[in-house]
Amino acid sequence: MDHKVVGSSGTAKNEEVDWSNSSVCNGPSHLSQSVTLFQLIVIGFLTTIVCIIGIFGNACSVIVLSSPKMKSSLNCILLGLTICDTVLIFNTLIIFSIPAISGYFDIGLSYSSLIEYTTPMLYASGMTAQTGSVYSVIAVTVERFIAVCHPLYARSICTWSRAKFYTLGVLLFSILYNIPRWGEFVTMERETENNSTYPRNEMTELRCNPDYIFYYVQWTNFVVMILFPIVVLIVLNIIIFAEVRFL
């Protein structure tokens, strides 16, 4: 069965790649070198700087939010949001930024192989973290909605212990929803013209299934990750704004 090939940059190719072709195995052409230079600057250097700043900032946030003096329902949810964002940023750094730098400077095959082997796992965990991040934002908005619009119920609902269950619920939902992501890519060993093997990330039969793409990747993802969150955030924030305005 033929697979669609996906490199560390995540670019898919529909045709079967001839791995014995020296132009594939030995590096990019002059035209692709200019693209690689762009990837080096934007994806390699700039994204790496942003990721490092983000990880450092989130680490400081985790230290502050987890301190005993900061115990509140809001801070508990924000702590979960910060952790999800950190995982997503770290995976972005490993999957996109570092391979762009190592690929341009030809750091070594062993490191590239390590990236190829870990990318399917990092991709799935990154999608899980992304879902957790989106629904943690929704949880923060719901918590603020209860605190502002229903203050009498806030003392019993918006507590640290209850917020931990809300955060765990978001994490559990994120894991269950993204279970299919763990079966979308696989690392395959390909032979080069020197009869040596080289790992490549390839789409699985599941990821190439038209029904899976249409119902899960496109429509379900659109509803769960875009439509529903946007509607909930808009409605609740409008209600909060109206309540605060007329206080």
Side-chain angles (χ1 to χ4, degrees):
M1 178 183 63
D2 292 341
H3 294 276
K4 295 180 181 179
V5 179
V6 179
S8 297
S9 62
T11 303
K13 295 182 180 179
N14 292 326
E15 69 275 12
E16 179 70 8
V17 176
D18 182 7
W19 294 97
S20 62
N21 192 327
S22 60
S23 64
V24 174
C25 300
N26 295 335
S29 63
H30 175 72
L31 178 62
S32 62
Q33 285 179 357
S34 61
V35 177
T36 304
L37 179 60
F38 173 80
Q39 292 176 338
L40 174 68
I41 296 174
V42 177
I43 301 178
F45 291 146
L46 295 182
T47 304
T48 297
I49 294 173
V50 173
C51 288
I52 292 175
I53 294 174
I55 292 174
F56 176 77
N58 285 348
C60 295
S61 298
V62 169
I63 295 174
V64 173
L65 294 173
S66 60
S67 63
K69 295 182 179 180
M70 297 295 291
K71 277 192 174 182
S72 68
S73 60
L74 177 61
N75 290 338
C76 180
I77 300 173
L78 288 176
L79 181 61
L81 172 61
T82 304
I83 293 174
C84 289
D85 285 344
T86 304
V87 173
L88 184 59
I89 293 172
F90 176 79
N91 288 5
T92 300
L93 182 67
I94 299 299
I95 294 176
F96 296 104
S97 300
I98 296 181
I101 298 174
S102 63
Y104 185 85
F105 292 106
D106 194 20
I107 290 180
L109 179 62
S110 59
Y111 181 79
S112 299
S113 300
L114 178 62
I115 295 296
E116 295 289 338
Y117 282 118
T118 56
T119 292
M121 179 186 66
L122 293 174
Y123 164 77
S125 60
M127 297 299 294
T128 303
Q130 184 183 56
T131 305
S133 178
V134 170
Y135 279 84
S136 292
V137 173
I138 295 178
V140 169
T141 306
V142 171
E143 196 274 347
R144 289 295 86 195
F145 167 78
I146 296 174
V148 173
C149 301
H150 302 281
L152 297 179
Y153 298 100
R155 290 187 177 182
S156 59
I157 297 178
C158 301
T159 62
W160 175 268
S161 58
R162 286 181 179 269
K164 287 192 294 185
F165 285 105
Y166 305 152
T167 304
L168 290 176
V170 169
L171 176 61
L172 179 61
F173 168 75
S174 302
I175 293 174
L176 293 176
Y177 173 70
N178 287 283
I179 285 178
R181 299 291 186 181
W182 295 87
E184 289 190 3
F185 297 97
V186 64
T187 303
M188 302 290 292
E189 295 286 346
R190 292 292 186 176
E191 289 189 2
T192 65
E193 59 181 1
N194 299 324
N195 294 326
S196 60
T197 58
Y198 186 77
R200 294 292 292 178
N201 292 321
E202 301 181 0
M203 293 183 181
T204 61
E205 184 178 357
L206 172 66
R207 186 60 178 81
C208 297
N209 188 294
D211 292 332
Y212 175 80
I213 295 174
F214 181 78
Y215 290 108
Y216 180 78
V217 176
Q218 295 180 355
W219 280 106
T220 303
N221 191 66
F222 171 74
V223 173
V224 173
M225 296 296 295
I226 299 176
L227 182 62
F228 177 75
I230 289 178
V231 171
V232 171
L233 292 176
I234 290 176
V235 171
L236 292 183
N237 278 291
I238 289 175
I239 296 174
I240 293 172
F241 174 77
E243 185 72 19
V244 172
R245 184 178 180 182
F246 292 106
L247 283 178

mmCIF file with all atom_site columns, all heavy atoms in Angstrom, residues 7 13-14 21 23 54 57 74 80 96 98 113-114 117 127 143 157 169 178 180 187 198 212 224-225:
data_model
loop_
_atom_site.group_PDB
_atom_site.id
_atom_site.type_symbol
_atom_site.label_atom_id
_atom_site.label_alt_id
_atom_site.label_comp_id
_atom_site.label_asym_id
_atom_site.label_entity_id
_atom_site.label_seq_id
_atom_site.pdbx_PDB_ins_code
_atom_site.Cartn_x
_atom_site.Cartn_y
_atom_site.Cartn_z
_atom_site.occupancy
_atom_site.B_iso_or_equiv
_atom_site.pdbx_formal_charge
_atom_site.auth_seq_id
_atom_site.auth_comp_id
_atom_site.auth_asym_id
_atom_site.auth_atom_id
_atom_site.pdbx_PDB_model_num
ATOM 1   N N   . GLY A 1 7   ? 7.182   15.058 5.523  1.00 0.00 ? 7   GLY A N   1
ATOM 2   C CA  . GLY A 1 7   ? 8.446   15.344 6.178  1.00 0.00 ? 7   GLY A CA  1
ATOM 3   C C   . GLY A 1 7   ? 8.232   16.054 7.479  1.00 0.00 ? 7   GLY A C   1
ATOM 4   O O   . GLY A 1 7   ? 7.105   16.266 7.928  1.00 0.00 ? 7   GLY A O   1
ATOM 5   N N   . LYS A 1 13  ? 2.745   15.128 0.091  1.00 0.00 ? 13  LYS A N   1
ATOM 6   C CA  . LYS A 1 13  ? 2.882   14.926 -1.339 1.00 0.00 ? 13  LYS A CA  1
ATOM 7   C C   . LYS A 1 13  ? 2.016   13.740 -1.719 1.00 0.00 ? 13  LYS A C   1
ATOM 8   O O   . LYS A 1 13  ? 2.067   12.694 -1.081 1.00 0.00 ? 13  LYS A O   1
ATOM 9   C CB  . LYS A 1 13  ? 4.343   14.653 -1.722 1.00 0.00 ? 13  LYS A CB  1
ATOM 10  C CG  . LYS A 1 13  ? 5.268   15.854 -1.447 1.00 0.00 ? 13  LYS A CG  1
ATOM 11  C CD  . LYS A 1 13  ? 6.666   15.536 -1.891 1.00 0.00 ? 13  LYS A CD  1
ATOM 12  C CE  . LYS A 1 13  ? 7.623   16.710 -1.639 1.00 0.00 ? 13  LYS A CE  1
ATOM 13  N NZ  . LYS A 1 13  ? 8.987   16.416 -2.042 1.00 0.00 ? 13  LYS A NZ  1
ATOM 14  N N   . ASN A 1 14  ? 1.209   13.890 -2.758 1.00 0.00 ? 14  ASN A N   1
ATOM 15  C CA  . ASN A 1 14  ? 0.262   12.856 -3.123 1.00 0.00 ? 14  ASN A CA  1
ATOM 16  C C   . ASN A 1 14  ? 0.915   11.725 -3.904 1.00 0.00 ? 14  ASN A C   1
ATOM 17  O O   . ASN A 1 14  ? 0.421   10.613 -3.911 1.00 0.00 ? 14  ASN A O   1
ATOM 18  C CB  . ASN A 1 14  ? -0.869  13.452 -3.970 1.00 0.00 ? 14  ASN A CB  1
ATOM 19  C CG  . ASN A 1 14  ? -1.737  14.379 -3.138 1.00 0.00 ? 14  ASN A CG  1
ATOM 20  O OD1 . ASN A 1 14  ? -1.927  14.124 -1.960 1.00 0.00 ? 14  ASN A OD1 1
ATOM 21  N ND2 . ASN A 1 14  ? -2.238  15.433 -3.751 1.00 0.00 ? 14  ASN A ND2 1
ATOM 22  N N   . ASN A 1 21  ? 16.036  8.065  -6.236 1.00 0.00 ? 21  ASN A N   1
ATOM 23  C CA  . ASN A 1 21  ? 16.398  9.261  -6.979 1.00 0.00 ? 21  ASN A CA  1
ATOM 24  C C   . ASN A 1 21  ? 17.369  10.080 -6.149 1.00 0.00 ? 21  ASN A C   1
ATOM 25  O O   . ASN A 1 21  ? 17.077  10.458 -5.026 1.00 0.00 ? 21  ASN A O   1
ATOM 26  C CB  . ASN A 1 21  ? 15.136  10.085 -7.285 1.00 0.00 ? 21  ASN A CB  1
ATOM 27  C CG  . ASN A 1 21  ? 15.409  11.179 -8.295 1.00 0.00 ? 21  ASN A CG  1
ATOM 28  O OD1 . ASN A 1 21  ? 16.499  11.739 -8.322 1.00 0.00 ? 21  ASN A OD1 1
ATOM 29  N ND2 . ASN A 1 21  ? 14.406  11.479 -9.119 1.00 0.00 ? 21  ASN A ND2 1
ATOM 30  N N   . SER A 1 23  ? 18.254  13.121 -6.438 1.00 0.00 ? 23  SER A N   1
ATOM 31  C CA  . SER A 1 23  ? 17.815  14.479 -6.144 1.00 0.00 ? 23  SER A CA  1
ATOM 32  C C   . SER A 1 23  ? 16.958  14.532 -4.900 1.00 0.00 ? 23  SER A C   1
ATOM 33  O O   . SER A 1 23  ? 16.870  15.551 -4.232 1.00 0.00 ? 23  SER A O   1
ATOM 34  C CB  . SER A 1 23  ? 17.021  15.036 -7.339 1.00 0.00 ? 23  SER A CB  1
ATOM 35  O OG  . SER A 1 23  ? 15.836  14.284 -7.541 1.00 0.00 ? 23  SER A OG  1
ATOM 36  N N   . GLY A 1 54  ? 8.023   32.184 24.987 1.00 0.00 ? 54  GLY A N   1
ATOM 37  C CA  . GLY A 1 54  ? 6.756   31.650 25.471 1.00 0.00 ? 54  GLY A CA  1
ATOM 38  C C   . GLY A 1 54  ? 6.929   30.603 26.550 1.00 0.00 ? 54  GLY A C   1
ATOM 39  O O   . GLY A 1 54  ? 6.202   30.600 27.551 1.00 0.00 ? 54  GLY A O   1
ATOM 40  N N   . GLY A 1 57  ? 8.061   32.383 29.746 1.00 0.00 ? 57  GLY A N   1
ATOM 41  C CA  . GLY A 1 57  ? 6.942   33.098 30.351 1.00 0.00 ? 57  GLY A CA  1
ATOM 42  C C   . GLY A 1 57  ? 5.942   32.160 30.986 1.00 0.00 ? 57  GLY A C   1
ATOM 43  O O   . GLY A 1 57  ? 5.434   32.426 32.090 1.00 0.00 ? 57  GLY A O   1
ATOM 44  N N   . LEU A 1 74  ? -10.222 30.354 39.283 1.00 0.00 ? 74  LEU A N   1
ATOM 45  C CA  . LEU A 1 74  ? -9.709  30.946 38.049 1.00 0.00 ? 74  LEU A CA  1
ATOM 46  C C   . LEU A 1 74  ? -8.252  30.593 37.819 1.00 0.00 ? 74  LEU A C   1
ATOM 47  O O   . LEU A 1 74  ? -7.858  30.204 36.712 1.00 0.00 ? 74  LEU A O   1
ATOM 48  C CB  . LEU A 1 74  ? -9.875  32.460 38.093 1.00 0.00 ? 74  LEU A CB  1
ATOM 49  C CG  . LEU A 1 74  ? -9.317  33.237 36.898 1.00 0.00 ? 74  LEU A CG  1
ATOM 50  C CD1 . LEU A 1 74  ? -9.997  32.818 35.609 1.00 0.00 ? 74  LEU A CD1 1
ATOM 51  C CD2 . LEU A 1 74  ? -9.454  34.743 37.113 1.00 0.00 ? 74  LEU A CD2 1
ATOM 52  N N   . GLY A 1 80  ? -3.962  25.093 34.170 1.00 0.00 ? 80  GLY A N   1
ATOM 53  C CA  . GLY A 1 80  ? -4.145  24.071 33.141 1.00 0.00 ? 80  GLY A CA  1
ATOM 54  C C   . GLY A 1 80  ? -3.951  24.627 31.744 1.00 0.00 ? 80  GLY A C   1
ATOM 55  O O   . GLY A 1 80  ? -3.347  23.976 30.883 1.00 0.00 ? 80  GLY A O   1
ATOM 56  N N   . PHE A 1 96  ? 8.868   21.839 14.049 1.00 0.00 ? 96  PHE A N   1
ATOM 57  C CA  . PHE A 1 96  ? 9.056   22.789 12.957 1.00 0.00 ? 96  PHE A CA  1
ATOM 58  C C   . PHE A 1 96  ? 10.366  23.568 13.035 1.00 0.00 ? 96  PHE A C   1
ATOM 59  O O   . PHE A 1 96  ? 11.120  23.628 12.067 1.00 0.00 ? 96  PHE A O   1
ATOM 60  C CB  . PHE A 1 96  ? 7.873   23.773 12.916 1.00 0.00 ? 96  PHE A CB  1
ATOM 61  C CG  . PHE A 1 96  ? 6.558   23.115 12.616 1.00 0.00 ? 96  PHE A CG  1
ATOM 62  C CD1 . PHE A 1 96  ? 5.634   22.907 13.621 1.00 0.00 ? 96  PHE A CD1 1
ATOM 63  C CD2 . PHE A 1 96  ? 6.246   22.700 11.337 1.00 0.00 ? 96  PHE A CD2 1
ATOM 64  C CE1 . PHE A 1 96  ? 4.420   22.297 13.354 1.00 0.00 ? 96  PHE A CE1 1
ATOM 65  C CE2 . PHE A 1 96  ? 5.035   22.089 11.055 1.00 0.00 ? 96  PHE A CE2 1
ATOM 66  C CZ  . PHE A 1 96  ? 4.114   21.881 12.075 1.00 0.00 ? 96  PHE A CZ  1
ATOM 67  N N   . ILE A 1 98  ? 13.343  23.498 15.075 1.00 0.00 ? 98  ILE A N   1
ATOM 68  C CA  . ILE A 1 98  ? 14.654  22.845 15.127 1.00 0.00 ? 98  ILE A CA  1
ATOM 69  C C   . ILE A 1 98  ? 14.968  22.095 13.833 1.00 0.00 ? 98  ILE A C   1
ATOM 70  O O   . ILE A 1 98  ? 16.099  22.173 13.331 1.00 0.00 ? 98  ILE A O   1
ATOM 71  C CB  . ILE A 1 98  ? 14.747  21.927 16.357 1.00 0.00 ? 98  ILE A CB  1
ATOM 72  C CG1 . ILE A 1 98  ? 14.653  22.773 17.642 1.00 0.00 ? 98  ILE A CG1 1
ATOM 73  C CG2 . ILE A 1 98  ? 16.029  21.111 16.339 1.00 0.00 ? 98  ILE A CG2 1
ATOM 74  C CD1 . ILE A 1 98  ? 14.752  21.982 18.921 1.00 0.00 ? 98  ILE A CD1 1
ATOM 75  N N   . SER A 1 113 ? 16.797  11.743 12.049 1.00 0.00 ? 113 SER A N   1
ATOM 76  C CA  . SER A 1 113 ? 16.093  10.482 12.259 1.00 0.00 ? 113 SER A CA  1
ATOM 77  C C   . SER A 1 113 ? 15.308  10.509 13.557 1.00 0.00 ? 113 SER A C   1
ATOM 78  O O   . SER A 1 113 ? 14.175  10.013 13.639 1.00 0.00 ? 113 SER A O   1
ATOM 79  C CB  . SER A 1 113 ? 17.081  9.312  12.259 1.00 0.00 ? 113 SER A CB  1
ATOM 80  O OG  . SER A 1 113 ? 17.771  9.235  11.033 1.00 0.00 ? 113 SER A OG  1
ATOM 81  N N   . LEU A 1 114 ? 15.899  11.099 14.602 1.00 0.00 ? 114 LEU A N   1
ATOM 82  C CA  . LEU A 1 114 ? 15.210  11.207 15.881 1.00 0.00 ? 114 LEU A CA  1
ATOM 83  C C   . LEU A 1 114 ? 13.936  12.038 15.741 1.00 0.00 ? 114 LEU A C   1
ATOM 84  O O   . LEU A 1 114 ? 12.888  11.688 16.292 1.00 0.00 ? 114 LEU A O   1
ATOM 85  C CB  . LEU A 1 114 ? 16.136  11.837 16.920 1.00 0.00 ? 114 LEU A CB  1
ATOM 86  C CG  . LEU A 1 114 ? 15.534  12.070 18.314 1.00 0.00 ? 114 LEU A CG  1
ATOM 87  C CD1 . LEU A 1 114 ? 15.130  10.746 18.950 1.00 0.00 ? 114 LEU A CD1 1
ATOM 88  C CD2 . LEU A 1 114 ? 16.522  12.820 19.200 1.00 0.00 ? 114 LEU A CD2 1
ATOM 89  N N   . TYR A 1 117 ? 11.242  9.960  13.964 1.00 0.00 ? 117 TYR A N   1
ATOM 90  C CA  . TYR A 1 117 ? 10.644  8.935  14.812 1.00 0.00 ? 117 TYR A CA  1
ATOM 91  C C   . TYR A 1 117 ? 9.692   9.521  15.848 1.00 0.00 ? 117 TYR A C   1
ATOM 92  O O   . TYR A 1 117 ? 8.709   8.883  16.235 1.00 0.00 ? 117 TYR A O   1
ATOM 93  C CB  . TYR A 1 117 ? 11.743  8.128  15.517 1.00 0.00 ? 117 TYR A CB  1
ATOM 94  C CG  . TYR A 1 117 ? 12.402  7.094  14.638 1.00 0.00 ? 117 TYR A CG  1
ATOM 95  C CD1 . TYR A 1 117 ? 13.764  7.162  14.347 1.00 0.00 ? 117 TYR A CD1 1
ATOM 96  C CD2 . TYR A 1 117 ? 11.671  6.044  14.090 1.00 0.00 ? 117 TYR A CD2 1
ATOM 97  C CE1 . TYR A 1 117 ? 14.379  6.224  13.532 1.00 0.00 ? 117 TYR A CE1 1
ATOM 98  C CE2 . TYR A 1 117 ? 12.270  5.096  13.274 1.00 0.00 ? 117 TYR A CE2 1
ATOM 99  C CZ  . TYR A 1 117 ? 13.628  5.189  13.000 1.00 0.00 ? 117 TYR A CZ  1
ATOM 100 O OH  . TYR A 1 117 ? 14.219  4.251  12.185 1.00 0.00 ? 117 TYR A OH  1
ATOM 101 N N   . MET A 1 127 ? -1.805  18.196 19.122 1.00 0.00 ? 127 MET A N   1
ATOM 102 C CA  . MET A 1 127 ? -3.219  18.396 18.838 1.00 0.00 ? 127 MET A CA  1
ATOM 103 C C   . MET A 1 127 ? -4.052  18.271 20.108 1.00 0.00 ? 127 MET A C   1
ATOM 104 O O   . MET A 1 127 ? -5.038  18.996 20.299 1.00 0.00 ? 127 MET A O   1
ATOM 105 C CB  . MET A 1 127 ? -3.690  17.384 17.791 1.00 0.00 ? 127 MET A CB  1
ATOM 106 C CG  . MET A 1 127 ? -3.018  17.523 16.445 1.00 0.00 ? 127 MET A CG  1
ATOM 107 S SD  . MET A 1 127 ? -3.304  19.129 15.657 1.00 0.00 ? 127 MET A SD  1
ATOM 108 C CE  . MET A 1 127 ? -5.063  19.042 15.359 1.00 0.00 ? 127 MET A CE  1
ATOM 109 N N   . GLU A 1 143 ? -16.233 30.354 34.009 1.00 0.00 ? 143 GLU A N   1
ATOM 110 C CA  . GLU A 1 143 ? -15.980 30.698 35.411 1.00 0.00 ? 143 GLU A CA  1
ATOM 111 C C   . GLU A 1 143 ? -16.243 32.173 35.666 1.00 0.00 ? 143 GLU A C   1
ATOM 112 O O   . GLU A 1 143 ? -16.861 32.546 36.676 1.00 0.00 ? 143 GLU A O   1
ATOM 113 C CB  . GLU A 1 143 ? -14.530 30.343 35.755 1.00 0.00 ? 143 GLU A CB  1
ATOM 114 C CG  . GLU A 1 143 ? -14.213 30.281 37.248 1.00 0.00 ? 143 GLU A CG  1
ATOM 115 C CD  . GLU A 1 143 ? -13.844 31.641 37.817 1.00 0.00 ? 143 GLU A CD  1
ATOM 116 O OE1 . GLU A 1 143 ? -13.590 32.584 37.026 1.00 0.00 ? 143 GLU A OE1 1
ATOM 117 O OE2 . GLU A 1 143 ? -13.797 31.766 39.059 1.00 0.00 ? 143 GLU A OE2 1
ATOM 118 N N   . ILE A 1 157 ? -19.661 26.999 43.526 1.00 0.00 ? 157 ILE A N   1
ATOM 119 C CA  . ILE A 1 157 ? -19.247 26.391 42.251 1.00 0.00 ? 157 ILE A CA  1
ATOM 120 C C   . ILE A 1 157 ? -17.795 26.713 41.916 1.00 0.00 ? 157 ILE A C   1
ATOM 121 O O   . ILE A 1 157 ? -17.028 25.828 41.519 1.00 0.00 ? 157 ILE A O   1
ATOM 122 C CB  . ILE A 1 157 ? -20.171 26.872 41.107 1.00 0.00 ? 157 ILE A CB  1
ATOM 123 C CG1 . ILE A 1 157 ? -21.600 26.402 41.362 1.00 0.00 ? 157 ILE A CG1 1
ATOM 124 C CG2 . ILE A 1 157 ? -19.668 26.350 39.763 1.00 0.00 ? 157 ILE A CG2 1
ATOM 125 C CD1 . ILE A 1 157 ? -22.590 26.876 40.318 1.00 0.00 ? 157 ILE A CD1 1
ATOM 126 N N   . GLY A 1 169 ? -11.442 17.425 33.589 1.00 0.00 ? 169 GLY A N   1
ATOM 127 C CA  . GLY A 1 169 ? -12.451 17.116 32.579 1.00 0.00 ? 169 GLY A CA  1
ATOM 128 C C   . GLY A 1 169 ? -12.054 17.609 31.201 1.00 0.00 ? 169 GLY A C   1
ATOM 129 O O   . GLY A 1 169 ? -12.248 16.912 30.198 1.00 0.00 ? 169 GLY A O   1
ATOM 130 N N   . ASN A 1 178 ? -8.893  13.393 20.646 1.00 0.00 ? 178 ASN A N   1
ATOM 131 C CA  . ASN A 1 178 ? -7.736  13.309 19.753 1.00 0.00 ? 178 ASN A CA  1
ATOM 132 C C   . ASN A 1 178 ? -7.132  11.912 19.672 1.00 0.00 ? 178 ASN A C   1
ATOM 133 O O   . ASN A 1 178 ? -6.024  11.763 19.134 1.00 0.00 ? 178 ASN A O   1
ATOM 134 C CB  . ASN A 1 178 ? -6.668  14.303 20.207 1.00 0.00 ? 178 ASN A CB  1
ATOM 135 C CG  . ASN A 1 178 ? -7.043  15.740 19.889 1.00 0.00 ? 178 ASN A CG  1
ATOM 136 O OD1 . ASN A 1 178 ? -6.944  16.190 18.753 1.00 0.00 ? 178 ASN A OD1 1
ATOM 137 N ND2 . ASN A 1 178 ? -7.493  16.462 20.906 1.00 0.00 ? 178 ASN A ND2 1
ATOM 138 N N   . PRO A 1 180 ? -7.902  9.511  17.600 1.00 0.00 ? 180 PRO A N   1
ATOM 139 C CA  . PRO A 1 180 ? -7.583  9.170  16.192 1.00 0.00 ? 180 PRO A CA  1
ATOM 140 C C   . PRO A 1 180 ? -6.303  9.811  15.675 1.00 0.00 ? 180 PRO A C   1
ATOM 141 O O   . PRO A 1 180 ? -5.688  9.285  14.738 1.00 0.00 ? 180 PRO A O   1
ATOM 142 C CB  . PRO A 1 180 ? -8.807  9.692  15.421 1.00 0.00 ? 180 PRO A CB  1
ATOM 143 C CG  . PRO A 1 180 ? -9.919  9.706  16.416 1.00 0.00 ? 180 PRO A CG  1
ATOM 144 C CD  . PRO A 1 180 ? -9.268  10.080 17.716 1.00 0.00 ? 180 PRO A CD  1
ATOM 145 N N   . THR A 1 187 ? 6.059   6.244  11.187 1.00 0.00 ? 187 THR A N   1
ATOM 146 C CA  . THR A 1 187 ? 7.425   6.364  10.673 1.00 0.00 ? 187 THR A CA  1
ATOM 147 C C   . THR A 1 187 ? 7.805   5.081  9.950  1.00 0.00 ? 187 THR A C   1
ATOM 148 O O   . THR A 1 187 ? 7.777   3.996  10.530 1.00 0.00 ? 187 THR A O   1
ATOM 149 C CB  . THR A 1 187 ? 8.412   6.629  11.822 1.00 0.00 ? 187 THR A CB  1
ATOM 150 O OG1 . THR A 1 187 ? 8.011   7.795  12.530 1.00 0.00 ? 187 THR A OG1 1
ATOM 151 C CG2 . THR A 1 187 ? 9.810   6.828  11.280 1.00 0.00 ? 187 THR A CG2 1
ATOM 152 N N   . TYR A 1 198 ? 16.371  5.006  5.756  1.00 0.00 ? 198 TYR A N   1
ATOM 153 C CA  . TYR A 1 198 ? 16.152  6.377  6.216  1.00 0.00 ? 198 TYR A CA  1
ATOM 154 C C   . TYR A 1 198 ? 14.693  6.516  6.638  1.00 0.00 ? 198 TYR A C   1
ATOM 155 O O   . TYR A 1 198 ? 13.796  6.190  5.880  1.00 0.00 ? 198 TYR A O   1
ATOM 156 C CB  . TYR A 1 198 ? 16.480  7.370  5.107  1.00 0.00 ? 198 TYR A CB  1
ATOM 157 C CG  . TYR A 1 198 ? 16.408  8.811  5.555  1.00 0.00 ? 198 TYR A CG  1
ATOM 158 C CD1 . TYR A 1 198 ? 17.429  9.366  6.302  1.00 0.00 ? 198 TYR A CD1 1
ATOM 159 C CD2 . TYR A 1 198 ? 15.305  9.603  5.248  1.00 0.00 ? 198 TYR A CD2 1
ATOM 160 C CE1 . TYR A 1 198 ? 17.369  10.678 6.716  1.00 0.00 ? 198 TYR A CE1 1
ATOM 161 C CE2 . TYR A 1 198 ? 15.229  10.923 5.674  1.00 0.00 ? 198 TYR A CE2 1
ATOM 162 C CZ  . TYR A 1 198 ? 16.264  11.458 6.409  1.00 0.00 ? 198 TYR A CZ  1
ATOM 163 O OH  . TYR A 1 198 ? 16.197  12.753 6.832  1.00 0.00 ? 198 TYR A OH  1
ATOM 164 N N   . TYR A 1 212 ? -12.909 9.655  6.709  1.00 0.00 ? 212 TYR A N   1
ATOM 165 C CA  . TYR A 1 212 ? -12.248 10.167 7.912  1.00 0.00 ? 212 TYR A CA  1
ATOM 166 C C   . TYR A 1 212 ? -11.886 11.637 7.732  1.00 0.00 ? 212 TYR A C   1
ATOM 167 O O   . TYR A 1 212 ? -12.078 12.460 8.646  1.00 0.00 ? 212 TYR A O   1
ATOM 168 C CB  . TYR A 1 212 ? -10.993 9.346  8.202  1.00 0.00 ? 212 TYR A CB  1
ATOM 169 C CG  . TYR A 1 212 ? -10.168 9.862  9.362  1.00 0.00 ? 212 TYR A CG  1
ATOM 170 C CD1 . TYR A 1 212 ? -10.530 9.595  10.668 1.00 0.00 ? 212 TYR A CD1 1
ATOM 171 C CD2 . TYR A 1 212 ? -9.014  10.615 9.125  1.00 0.00 ? 212 TYR A CD2 1
ATOM 172 C CE1 . TYR A 1 212 ? -9.780  10.067 11.739 1.00 0.00 ? 212 TYR A CE1 1
ATOM 173 C CE2 . TYR A 1 212 ? -8.257  11.089 10.178 1.00 0.00 ? 212 TYR A CE2 1
ATOM 174 C CZ  . TYR A 1 212 ? -8.641  10.807 11.484 1.00 0.00 ? 212 TYR A CZ  1
ATOM 175 O OH  . TYR A 1 212 ? -7.891  11.296 12.529 1.00 0.00 ? 212 TYR A OH  1
ATOM 176 N N   . VAL A 1 224 ? -16.042 21.368 16.615 1.00 0.00 ? 224 VAL A N   1
ATOM 177 C CA  . VAL A 1 224 ? -15.506 21.227 17.971 1.00 0.00 ? 224 VAL A CA  1
ATOM 178 C C   . VAL A 1 224 ? -14.450 22.282 18.281 1.00 0.00 ? 224 VAL A C   1
ATOM 179 O O   . VAL A 1 224 ? -14.413 22.835 19.391 1.00 0.00 ? 224 VAL A O   1
ATOM 180 C CB  . VAL A 1 224 ? -14.916 19.811 18.160 1.00 0.00 ? 224 VAL A CB  1
ATOM 181 C CG1 . VAL A 1 224 ? -14.201 19.694 19.506 1.00 0.00 ? 224 VAL A CG1 1
ATOM 182 C CG2 . VAL A 1 224 ? -16.022 18.770 18.070 1.00 0.00 ? 224 VAL A CG2 1
ATOM 183 N N   . MET A 1 225 ? -13.595 22.602 17.307 1.00 0.00 ? 225 MET A N   1
ATOM 184 C CA  . MET A 1 225 ? -12.458 23.473 17.568 1.00 0.00 ? 225 MET A CA  1
ATOM 185 C C   . MET A 1 225 ? -12.652 24.920 17.118 1.00 0.00 ? 225 MET A C   1
ATOM 186 O O   . MET A 1 225 ? -11.889 25.791 17.519 1.00 0.00 ? 225 MET A O   1
ATOM 187 C CB  . MET A 1 225 ? -11.208 22.904 16.876 1.00 0.00 ? 225 MET A CB  1
ATOM 188 C CG  . MET A 1 225 ? -10.778 21.561 17.429 1.00 0.00 ? 225 MET A CG  1
ATOM 189 S SD  . MET A 1 225 ? -10.262 21.663 19.154 1.00 0.00 ? 225 MET A SD  1
ATOM 190 C CE  . MET A 1 225 ? -8.814  22.682 19.003 1.00 0.00 ? 225 MET A CE  1
#
